[in-house]
Amino acid sequence: KKYKDKLISTINMVIKAKKISPFFSHLLGQDGEKKYLILFANNMELRPGGGFLGSYGVLTMKNLTFEDLKVYDVYDADGQLTAHVVPPDPIRDYLSQPHWFLRDSAFSPDFYDNYFQAKFFLEKEKQLNDFSGGILVTTTAIKNILKAFGDLYIPDFNEKVTSDNFYLKTQLYAEKD
């Protein structure tokens, strides 16, 4: 029973991979540079779109290769917003925020809507645009990736990050600026 369930699960993943595989070369920039907006959401701080956006990144792909990945603090971008954006009523009422920022833009349960809202803020705050698409990465997703691939040593911090300590270490270093 256990092996049968695992086999069925694996077959289903292969079927899904086969359906999307024709798009991989396009997504990976074979036909020109692709720039993706990555939204890093802390799903331990609930928001309708998956969690609090603490960071965002810009991933550049070209010629089937990762060209560049830059990650930024959402507060740096939000600090550059010069226009007032009226928040949705629940953000104003329950979070006591008179303004709306990128960090709370994941307000819809539909990622498509949140992606376009985040693009709106990044255009206003940092003049970033021309994205080829968007990706949401949650803390739980990173924890699962670490569990699947193993521990990660971060030499700049002289730290070993595991699936068990990832969340605590990110919170610790986030609080230390």
Side-chain angles (χ1 to χ4, degrees), residues 51-140:
F52 175 78
L53 299 180
S55 304
Y56 67 95
V58 179
L59 170 66
T60 306
M61 305 292 296
K62 187 175 182 182
N63 298 324
L64 307 174
T65 304
F66 289 97
E67 286 285 310
D68 193 27
L69 172 62
K70 292 184 178 161
V71 178
Y72 305 94
D73 186 326
V74 74
Y75 287 101
D76 291 339
D78 284 347
Q80 296 181 39
L81 183 63
T82 57
H84 168 70
V85 180
V86 178
D89 289 342
I91 289 177
R92 188 189 65 238
D93 297 343
Y94 297 111
L95 297 179
S96 300
Q97 295 293 327
H99 310 287
W100 198 11
F101 294 100
L102 173 61
R103 63 183 175 255
D104 288 316
S105 66
F107 194 70
S108 170
D110 185 343
F111 177 72
Y112 189 75
D113 293 340
N114 294 333
Y115 166 66
F116 280 97
Q117 192 64 54
K119 281 182 20 176
F120 165 81
F121 280 107
L122 287 171
E123 171 69 32
K124 298 287 183 209
E125 296 171 346
K126 303 284 286 177
Q127 295 72 47
L128 289 175
N129 53 24
D130 297 330
F131 294 107
S132 303
I135 302 164
L136 177 71
V137 179
T138 65
T139 51
T140 299

Side-chain angles (χ1 to χ4, degrees), residues 37-54:
L37 173 61
I38 303 175
L39 300 171
F40 295 98
N42 179 353
N43 56 304
M44 302 301 170
E45 293 186 45
L46 292 179
R47 299 293 189 279
F52 175 78
L53 299 180

Side-chain angles (χ1 to χ4, degrees), residues 135-152:
I135 302 164
L136 177 71
V137 179
T138 65
T139 51
T140 299
I142 294 173
K143 186 176 176 180
N144 289 337
I145 290 168
L146 285 168
K147 190 177 285 186
F149 288 99
D151 303 344
L152 183 65

